[in-house]
Amino acid sequence: MILGALISTLGLTIFFFDQLSSQEGAAKGVALALLSFFLIAVGSVVTERVNKKYQMSSIKINKIAIFTACIAFMITCVYQNQPLSVPLSAEFLLPLFYLGIVCSALAFVLFTSMVSRMGTEYAQYVVFIYPLVATYIAYAVGEISLSFNMVLGSVLVIIGFAVGMYNKPSDVPQRQEKELGEAKNPS
C-alpha cells in the first residue's frame, strides 16, 4: 500500500512539474495541496469512525458537514463584514447549484460511502485521481495542452493506484470494525 502511494506521489510530482517550475507562487500551491491532502485524510478518518461508531449514513454525514460549513461561512462573512447575500442571476446561481450539488454534495456522499466500504487507507487513493480528472477535463474543453510529463505522471499515478489496491484484503470493513471495537474495549 505504501509503495503504491509513493509511486502515485511521484506521478503527481512529474504530472505537475512543468507548471511548478514555471509559475510564481508554486511553493505556496504545493503547500496548499499538501494541506488539502492532510485535511482530506483527517476528514476520512473522522468520517469512518463516525460511520462505524454511530452507524450514520453518508447522507446524514453530508447534512452535518454542510450545516457545519454554512455556520463557518456565516461566521467568516460576519467577521470580515461581508454581506450574507448572493446575486439572484442565472449566471451566478446555475454554477453555484452545479458546484454545490453535483461537485460537492454528491461527491461527498459518494466519497463517504467509499470510505465506509473500502476503509480510509484505500479510499485515499482517489485523492491522487482528482487532479488528473480535472486536468483532462480542461484538456477536453481546450483550456490546456498536454505535455509528456503529464502523460508520464498520469501513467505513474495509475500504476501506483493499481499497486496500492492489488493486495487490498477483501475483509477491510470487517477488519476495521473489529479494530475499532478493540480500541473501544481494550482487554
Side-chain angles (χ1 to χ4, degrees):
M1 183 170 59
I2 300 276
L3 178 61
L6 290 173
I7 293 169
S8 291
T9 301
L10 175 64
L12 275 184
T13 303
I14 292 171
F15 186 84
F16 287 115
F17 184 77
D18 295 334
Q19 290 90 345
L20 293 176
S21 61
S22 67
Q23 303 241 343
E24 230 178 274
K28 185 177 180 181
V30 169
L32 288 172
L34 292 173
L35 176 63
S36 85
F37 290 159
F38 174 75
L39 292 175
I40 289 170
V42 168
S44 296
V45 170
V46 169
T47 298
E48 184 177 31
R49 291 190 181 268
V50 165
N51 192 336
K52 299 288 187 218
K53 185 175 180 180
Y54 299 106
Q55 300 297 314
M56 295 174 81
S57 70
S58 298
I59 301 289
K60 189 165 187 172
I61 293 171
N62 194 21
K63 287 179 186 177
I64 293 168
I66 288 173
F67 178 75
T68 305
C70 287
I71 298 296
F73 178 73
M74 188 171 66
I75 290 169
T76 303
C77 285
V78 169
Y79 178 73
Q80 295 180 348
N81 288 329
Q82 297 293 320
L84 293 174
S85 62
V86 295
L88 297 177
S89 65
E91 298 102 30
F92 184 84
L93 293 177
L94 290 176
L96 181 65
F97 176 78
Y98 173 74
L99 290 171
I101 301 300
V102 176
C103 295
S104 295
L106 181 61
F108 186 76
V109 168
L110 294 174
F111 187 74
T112 55
S113 176
M114 185 172 56
V115 166
S116 67
R117 291 171 193 244
M118 295 177 67
T120 304
E121 63 269 21
Y122 294 102
Q124 288 306 308
Y125 278 98
V126 173
V127 172
F128 290 109
I129 303 298
Y130 292 153
L132 291 146
V133 171
T135 301
Y136 283 107
I137 289 172
Y139 170 73
V141 298
E143 290 293 317
I144 64 164
S145 58
L146 292 180
S147 69
F148 175 76
N149 283 348
M150 289 177 154
V151 174
L152 176 63
S154 299
V155 170
L156 285 173
V157 168
I158 292 167
I159 289 171
F161 187 86
V163 167
M165 298 302 280
Y166 179 72
N167 291 322
K168 178 183 165 296
S170 60
D171 68 337
V172 168
Q174 292 85 9
R175 184 172 43 85
Q176 289 176 335
E177 195 169 306
K178 180 182 173 200
E179 290 169 359
L180 285 173
E182 289 171 359
K184 283 190 242 177
N185 303 321
S187 31

